[in-house]
């Protein structure tokens, strides 16, 4: 499969608009909140002047905003250190961002050689969730909860016919910056 064939929307796969249950454990939420707090505390003055305490999402807010598939810009790097950014389905499960792509995609070739990644989910001026970390390949079939989650997003037919054979990864985050601008909703 080429990378261009993996746009689930163009293939008629309609991810669910809403997932019915929170997948995070209390420990996942605690770890996520610690990550958000630590990331904000270590941020520079400029970022903190924009992402004020009132505009930050807490762990529960991130889970709520990521309750459905979100288009996520994922950045990898080439062997020459050149950045490459492309869209993927951003999926939030157990307090971490996940994504899939084609087995022969440049994206997975890059992250297999250089697993450092950055990713952002952006909804206009209303929402921004950015994570920096390391991509680790995962096999959903080895994690029944994750496989059930992905089936709930994409549907059993799409999952069994082609999606389960794709490579999948989770971002182990070193840093996460969140931003929610409630005044953007009023415009």
């Amino acid at each position: 499969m080429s990378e261009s064939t993996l746009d689930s929307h163009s293939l008629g796969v309609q991810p669910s608009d809403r997932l019915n249950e929170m997948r995070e454990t209390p420990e996942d939420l605690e770890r996520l909140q610690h990550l958000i707090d630590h990331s904000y505390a270590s941020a520079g003055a400029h970022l903190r002047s924009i992402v004020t305490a009132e505009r930050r999402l807490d762990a529960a807010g991130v889970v709520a905003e990521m309750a459905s598939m979100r288009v996520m810009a994922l950045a990898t790097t080439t062997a020459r250190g050149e950045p490459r950014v492309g869209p993927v389905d951003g999926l939030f499960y157990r307090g971490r961002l996940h994504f899939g792509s084609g087995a022969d995609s440049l994206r997975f070739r890059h992250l297999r050689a250089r697993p450092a990644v950055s990713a952002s989910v952006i909804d206009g001026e209303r929402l921004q969730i950015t994570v920096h970390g390391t991509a680790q390949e995962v096999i959903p079939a080895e994690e029944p909860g994750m496989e059930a989650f992905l089936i709930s997003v994409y549907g059993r037919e799409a999952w069994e016919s082609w999606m389960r054979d794709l490579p999948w990864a989770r971002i182990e985050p070193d840093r996460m910056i969140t931003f929610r601008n409630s005044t953007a909703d009023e415009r």
Side-chain angles (χ1 to χ4, degrees), residues 34-53 56 128 130 132 174-178:
H34 176 75
L35 173 68
I36 292 167
D37 292 343
H38 176 74
S39 299
Y40 184 74
S42 63
H46 177 72
L47 189 138
R48 285 194 318 271
S49 73
I50 297 166
V51 183
T52 60
R56 285 175 46 203
Q128 174 257 317
T130 296
H132 307 289
D174 298 322
R175 188 169 182 189
M176 179 183 280
I177 300 296
T178 66

Side-chain angles (χ1 to χ4, degrees), residues 112-176:
R112 286 175 180 138
R114 293 163 302 283
V117 296
S118 291
S120 288
V121 172
I122 301 168
D123 182 2
E125 294 181 11
R126 186 188 77 78
L127 175 71
Q128 174 257 317
I129 299 170
T130 296
V131 64
H132 307 289
T134 304
Q136 295 182 346
E137 281 194 72
V138 296
I139 300 170
E142 294 177 1
E143 296 182 42
M146 183 178 176
E147 184 174 45
F149 166 71
L150 292 169
I151 290 168
S152 75
V153 172
Y154 295 107
R156 184 165 299 282
E157 182 180 335
W159 181 256
E160 290 179 355
S161 66
W162 65 280
M163 293 188 86
R164 80 162 120 205
D165 297 325
L166 298 176
W168 294 88
R170 136 176 66 241
I171 301 175
E172 292 297 335
D174 298 322
R175 188 169 182 189
M176 179 183 280

Side-chain angles (χ1 to χ4, degrees), residues 3-74:
E3 206 162 359
S4 64
T5 64
L6 293 175
D7 177 356
S8 59
H9 300 289
S10 68
L11 289 169
V13 176
Q14 295 301 317
S16 64
D17 291 331
R18 182 171 300 199
L19 302 175
N20 294 329
E21 60 184 73
M22 184 172 79
R23 310 286 178 175
E24 285 65 32
T25 66
E27 293 80 17
D28 294 335
L29 290 173
E30 184 177 325
R31 183 183 62 240
L32 181 58
Q33 188 61 55
H34 176 75
L35 173 68
I36 292 167
D37 292 343
H38 176 74
S39 299
Y40 184 74
S42 63
H46 177 72
L47 189 138
R48 285 194 318 271
S49 73
I50 297 166
V51 183
T52 60
E54 303 78 39
R55 292 175 138 184
R56 285 175 46 203
L57 285 171
D58 63 6
V62 172
V63 171
E65 287 288 350
M66 294 299 298
S68 61
M69 187 282 294
R70 297 284 197 142
V71 175
M72 180 171 76
L74 177 72

